[in-house]
């Protein structure tokens, strides 16, 4: 199961113009340049400063799988900040964001409607204002539950209510049991 935050990060990473460093040494050198010291990198990754220095000099080449994953995540988090900002701004102001999901969706509605939760596969283009809310919440460190709630509100307005043309009495959409979730800018 992927989280909403991870999906947003992957969508932004698709906008990168150059690939992020792949080798352990290149990743470590990049992190040292970004954080300005081997001590800061060591603290962030939970390893010794001497180990960081060995990767930078090329004496160590193959990190443990968990360290390799942490290094890759930290590099991607910092890679091409201007390209990342431009992609977010474009999605939040003009293009919007495309969501492709397979999840359990249900809603709260007046008595007499079929509001039972069921697994649906949706591909929906969310307007720029919803993309802006999602990216703003992600940047402010919102929990995945909060991001899922914002996504549910966006799906309610865009998919279920079709921008106000139908299902006007719909009160709340539930977005749970996510099997697949992918965003695209």
């Amino acid at each position: 199961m992927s989280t909403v935050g991870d999906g947003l990060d992957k969508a932004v990473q698709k906008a990168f113009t150059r690939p992020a460093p792949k080798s352990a040494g290149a990743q470590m050198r990049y992190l040292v340049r970004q954080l300005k010291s081997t001590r800061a990198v060591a603290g962030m990754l939970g390893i010794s400063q001497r180990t960081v220095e060995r990767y930078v000099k090329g004496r160590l080449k193959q990190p443990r799988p968990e360290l390799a994953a942490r290094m890759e995540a930290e590099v991607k988090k910092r890679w091409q900040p201007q390209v990342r900002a431009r992609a977010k701004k474009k999605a939040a102001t003009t293009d919007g964001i495309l969501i492709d999901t397979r999840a359990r969706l249900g809603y709260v509605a007046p008595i007499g409607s079929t509001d039972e939760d069921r697994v649906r596969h949706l591909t929906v283009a969310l307007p720029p204002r919803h993309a802006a809310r999602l990216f703003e919440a992600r940047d402010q460190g919102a929990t995945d539950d909060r991001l899922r709630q914002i996504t549910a509100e966006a799906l309610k307005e865009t998919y279920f209510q079709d921008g106000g043309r139908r299902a006007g009495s719909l009160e709340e959409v539930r977005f749970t049991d996510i099997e697949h979730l992918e965003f695209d800018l």
Side-chain angles (χ1 to χ4, degrees), residues 60-100:
L60 288 177
K61 297 181 187 296
Q62 290 296 325
R64 298 179 319 274
E66 64 273 2
L67 175 60
R70 284 196 312 262
M71 286 170 41
E72 183 178 356
E74 291 298 332
V75 167
K76 284 187 176 178
K77 192 186 305 182
R78 291 167 174 76
W79 189 248
Q80 293 192 324
Q82 293 169 335
V83 172
R84 182 186 310 271
R86 240 187 340 264
K88 286 179 182 178
K89 182 178 180 186
K90 187 175 178 187
T93 56
T94 57
D95 290 354
I97 193 167
L98 184 73
I99 181 174
D100 180 56

Side-chain angles (χ1 to χ4, degrees), residues 27-163:
Q27 288 177 342
M28 201 62 82
R29 285 188 290 279
Y30 176 76
L31 290 172
V32 169
R33 272 195 311 273
Q34 292 297 305
L35 299 178
K36 311 285 191 237
S37 77
T38 55
R39 179 176 288 163
V41 173
M44 176 187 65
L45 294 174
I47 57 177
S48 73
Q49 184 175 353
R50 185 74 184 120
T51 302
V52 172
E53 292 166 359
R54 286 183 182 129
Y55 278 111
V56 169
K57 290 180 181 177
R59 291 194 183 120
L60 288 177
K61 297 181 187 296
Q62 290 296 325
R64 298 179 319 274
E66 64 273 2
L67 175 60
R70 284 196 312 262
M71 286 170 41
E72 183 178 356
E74 291 298 332
V75 167
K76 284 187 176 178
K77 192 186 305 182
R78 291 167 174 76
W79 189 248
Q80 293 192 324
Q82 293 169 335
V83 172
R84 182 186 310 271
R86 240 187 340 264
K88 286 179 182 178
K89 182 178 180 186
K90 187 175 178 187
T93 56
T94 57
D95 290 354
I97 193 167
L98 184 73
I99 181 174
D100 180 56
T101 187
R102 180 171 168 79
R104 184 167 297 281
L105 288 151
Y107 47 88
V108 176
I111 296 173
S113 66
T114 58
D115 61 349
E116 197 170 310
D117 292 5
R118 67 177 190 254
V119 175
R120 301 172 194 241
H121 182 202
L122 300 177
T123 302
V124 180
L126 300 178
R129 69 180 175 281
H130 296 299
R133 282 185 65 204
L134 281 166
F135 283 126
E136 186 177 312
R138 177 69 176 156
D139 292 344
Q140 292 175 354
T143 65
D144 203 59
D145 287 339
R146 178 66 185 133
L147 291 172
R148 198 170 28 249
Q149 182 182 8
I150 292 170
T151 304
E153 291 167 7
L155 289 172
K156 170 188 166 192
E157 184 181 313
T158 308
Y159 176 75
F160 289 104
Q161 293 181 325
D162 195 18

